[in-house]
Amino acid sequence: MMDNVTLITFIIYLVGMLVIGIIAFRLTKNLSDYVLGGRNLGGSVAALSAGASDMSSWLLLGLPGAMYVGGMNQIWLAIGLAVGAYLNWQFVAKRLRTYTEVAKDSITIPDFLENRFRDKSRILRVISALVILIFFTFYTSAGLVGGAVLFEQSFGIDYQSALWIGAIVIISYTFLGGFLAVSWTDFFQGILMFIALIIVPIAAINAIGGWNEVVSKVGDIDPGYLNAFTDTTAIGIISLLAWGLGYFGQPHIITRFMAIKSTKEIPKARFVGMSWMVFALYGAIFTGFTGIAYYAEAPLENAETVFIAFTQELFNPWIAGILLAAILSAIMSTIDSQLLVSSSAVAEDFYKGIFRKNASQKELVWVGRIAVIIIAIIAIVIAQDPESRVLDLVGYAWAGFGAAFGPIIVLSLFWKRTTREGAIAGMVIGALTVIIWAQLEGGMFDLYEIVPGFILGTVVIIVVSLIVGSPTNPTKEVREEFKVATKR
Amino acid sequence: MMEQETINAATWGWLLIPMLSVVLLSLITFFTERGE
């Protein structure tokens, strides 16, 4: 019964999203429309779209899983993210929106960097496209692991089959409709995720007999679960808080800032976005925490299934089906945005940029599609390991973008003297630090790789810019741009 | 009787204050920046 009903709700949900996609597609006229919704998103749509693209399966599987395993000492992750997201909305959103328009109406991050630094060599474009390809592959892999866990639990099939079925559903959806008006489907998906994250923990707390009962049960198992400072170290707390640094460099999130209708919409978007995010984070936190008490006698094999287990046990199959569709929502709303960015990186930045400068639009569309399939296959290979965890894969990709793009996005918007050479060196060093640091273990290497990556990236950009910057730097053009970008 | 375990004040403080503050700040700036 459960399986069939879940399947039916999944199908209804997918058809619904496809219809929204098709309607929005009919309103799409050109490439800028396609990538940025023609810079015409209202505040609320932009806010929930940024939120839904940001909070992948991570929010419904990863964070509850971390809380379920560690208890209150994991709250630092949510605090870091909320503060980071706020700073991003407060300081980066408006400036990025205006500057990308001033900089030859750039519609992607590689575009913006090339125009901002007047790079004719295409090196900046190629390096940023490479960073996008490497880290989005891991990110996509995290989504596919989430999909596999969801299908494994919902339909009782083994992990490998679930991975393939999940991947085929997710990728074919992305092909058919996901690229169409990603922002609008994200908006509905954001609402569904929000509702799920409010009602699941409430139902779970009720099932145990109230909040006090939950706390006392968790305390009986291990009082350490109740304290944010036990069973952790300063390095542990800093590592979790440092997730917040990642926001400035996530291409799939900051492109939503660029798509917003006008800077006047930003205060509203910020408020809607932050409210959505903070309450969703609380929902995830309390879901995982309550899970410690609920599954005390029969611990879950995979901690990241705690949200799924609750929906299956506490709700009638129809409601459970909708709630599980929310997880699928979360996964798809992130993967579609990421594959869109990755395919444009391959088609526009590599193929057209290096190999075939005169490639036709039709040719580029096909190159983009083939790229999506290759990226998906590599992501499936990474996801093969049944021990892979959504949180670990997301953590790696998050650090990669945060360290490679974060410092250069912030500095290019706020420091006129940033140079092309500084940008290239900073991105390379940021990305390499993350890749190398993640391989090392023990002592200070237990620190989350985004911290050294972000710091080194920033230092390198500043030092290199100061050393190689010519006396005429910043040029008159850049000064003018800054004037326009900051005035609006 | 065994003493009942509770979540301590510091943990509650950290759980609530930073996250609710950013919502509050974004609400305040929503009203102050809107007129600009």
Side-chain angles (χ1 to χ4, degrees):
Chain A
M1 177 64 187
M2 176 78 203
D3 288 5
N4 287 336
V5 172
T6 311
L7 189 62
I8 294 167
T9 24
F10 270 20
I11 291 170
I12 294 173
Y13 163 77
L14 290 172
V15 171
M17 283 298 119
L18 222 52
V19 170
I20 294 172
I22 290 167
I23 294 171
F25 176 69
R26 295 176 69 102
L27 303 171
T28 307
K29 291 185 200 74
N30 56 36
L31 185 68
S32 174
D33 270 6
Y34 182 59
V35 181
L36 289 183
R39 291 197 199 258
N40 202 20
L41 295 185
S44 305
V45 174
L48 289 204
S49 174
S53 308
D54 167 10
M55 296 297 183
S56 50
S57 51
W58 180 89
L59 180 66
L60 295 139
L61 307 181
L63 181 57
M67 288 296 296
Y68 174 76
V69 172
M72 283 294 170
N73 68 26
Q74 298 294 307
I75 62 171
W76 306 106
L77 179 49
I79 295 169
L81 287 176
V83 173
Y86 174 74
L87 296 175
N88 205 21
W89 272 113
Q90 182 67 42
F91 296 106
V92 176
K94 189 173 171 187
R95 189 67 73 93
L96 188 68
R97 171 66 180 79
T98 51
Y99 210 141
T100 49
E101 204 176 0
V102 175
K104 294 188 186 163
D105 199 14
S106 311
I107 56 174
T108 66
I109 298 300
D111 244 6
F112 168 65
L113 293 175
E114 185 170 86
N115 292 333
R116 162 72 176 80
F117 295 107
R118 284 149 181 85
D119 178 31
K120 294 199 177 64
S121 66
R122 297 205 161 246
I123 295 176
L124 261 178
R125 180 178 285 273
V126 169
I127 292 175
S128 43
L130 202 60
V131 168
I132 284 173
L133 279 183
I134 294 172
F135 292 108
F136 269 153
T137 305
F138 283 93
Y139 225 132
T140 303
S141 183
L144 296 182
V145 171
V149 170
L150 174 66
F151 281 81
E152 186 186 20
Q153 295 287 320
S154 304
F155 304 112
I157 44 181
D158 68 288
Y159 181 83
Q160 296 299 330
S161 323
L163 176 63
W164 281 98
I165 296 171
I168 290 168
V169 170
I170 292 168
I171 309 291
S172 53
Y173 167 82
T174 306
F175 255 82
L176 275 173
F179 283 0
L180 312 173
V182 168
S183 302
W184 271 97
T185 52
D186 278 358
F187 177 73
F188 288 99
Q189 290 167 336
I191 290 174
L192 188 57
M193 285 159 71
F194 187 79
I195 295 170
L197 276 167
I198 300 296
I199 67 170
V200 169
I202 290 175
I205 292 168
N206 259 334
I208 293 182
W211 176 246
N212 290 336
E213 200 59 29
V214 172
V215 174
S216 111
K217 270 199 168 167
V218 172
D220 284 346
I221 298 163
D222 179 358
Y225 282 139
L226 301 178
N227 193 321
F229 298 92
T230 50
D231 304 322
T232 185
T233 57
I235 285 186
I237 292 175
I238 293 170
S239 292
L240 292 178
L241 284 174
W243 277 71
L245 283 178
Y247 270 104
F248 310 118
Q250 306 298 320
H252 55 302
I253 302 174
I254 57 179
T255 45
R256 295 293 179 275
F257 295 160
M258 291 149 56
I260 215 161
K261 196 191 296 172
S262 124
T263 53
K264 288 202 177 73
E265 294 281 325
I266 287 178
K268 179 176 161 201
R270 184 168 55 216
F271 175 59
V272 173
M274 289 314 301
S275 309
W276 180 92
M277 179 184 183
V278 164
F279 288 101
L281 285 172
Y282 279 134
I285 286 174
F286 289 118
T287 301
F289 183 77
T290 309
I292 301 174
Y294 196 91
Y295 294 104
E297 271 88 50
L300 298 167
E301 204 175 302
N302 177 354
E304 294 193 335
T305 60
V306 58
F307 183 91
I308 300 174
F310 271 142
T311 44
Q312 288 173 330
E313 282 180 43
L314 300 175
F315 295 90
N316 95 36
W318 287 101
I319 307 283
I322 297 169
L323 295 174
L324 293 174
I327 301 177
L328 200 57
S329 266
I331 296 170
M332 288 178 166
S333 60
T334 305
I335 285 193
D336 57 11
S337 313
Q338 294 171 341
L339 288 177
L340 177 62
V341 176
S342 305
S343 85
S344 84
V346 171
E348 297 282 333
D349 302 329
F350 279 119
Y351 190 76
K352 191 178 172 200
I354 306 177
F355 301 111
R356 275 179 59 87
K357 291 200 166 57
N358 302 319
S360 69
Q361 276 301 316
K362 200 175 166 194
E363 194 177 336
L364 289 177
V365 168
W366 274 105
V367 171
R369 283 182 180 156
I370 293 165
V372 166
I373 292 175
I374 295 172
I375 293 166
I377 289 172
I378 299 172
I380 290 172
V381 172
I382 298 171
Q384 285 287 328
D385 177 7
E387 293 301 308
S388 29
R389 291 288 171 262
V390 173
L391 194 65
D392 298 334
L393 288 165
V394 171
Y396 184 60
W398 187 262
F401 285 124
F405 289 151
I408 190 57
I409 292 291
V410 174
L411 287 170
S412 66
L413 294 173
F414 288 93
W415 193 45
K416 286 190 204 91
R417 299 178 61 99
T418 315
T419 63
R420 186 183 80 100
E421 290 75 12
I424 293 170
M427 277 201 291
V428 171
I429 294 296
L432 283 181
T433 309
V434 165
I435 292 170
I436 295 167
W437 196 279
Q439 304 302 320
L440 306 169
E441 276 175 44
M444 70 169 191
F445 294 111
D446 287 338
L447 184 66
Y448 184 23
E449 53 268 23
I450 199 170
V451 180
F454 195 94
I455 294 173
L456 274 178
T458 309
V459 170
V460 166
I461 295 170
I462 295 173
V463 170
V464 173
S465 293
L466 287 177
I467 292 173
V468 300
S470 70
T472 54
N473 182 47
T475 58
K476 206 175 158 204
E477 276 177 321
V478 173
R479 283 178 211 273
E480 287 298 316
E481 272 179 11
F482 257 75
K483 242 187 227 162
V484 181
T486 50
K487 211 162 57 184
R488 283 189 201 172
Chain B
M1 199 182 110
M2 215 174 77
E3 195 190 338
Q4 194 184 331
E5 299 282 353
T6 52
I7 296 177
N8 67 32
T11 300
W12 271 124
W14 279 104
L15 180 60
L16 296 177
I17 295 169
M19 286 162 72
L20 293 179
S21 303
V22 294
V23 174
L24 192 65
L25 270 174
S26 64
L27 179 64
I28 293 169
T29 51
F30 170 59
F31 286 112
T32 55
E33 286 179 28
R34 202 171 42 165
E36 281 177 19

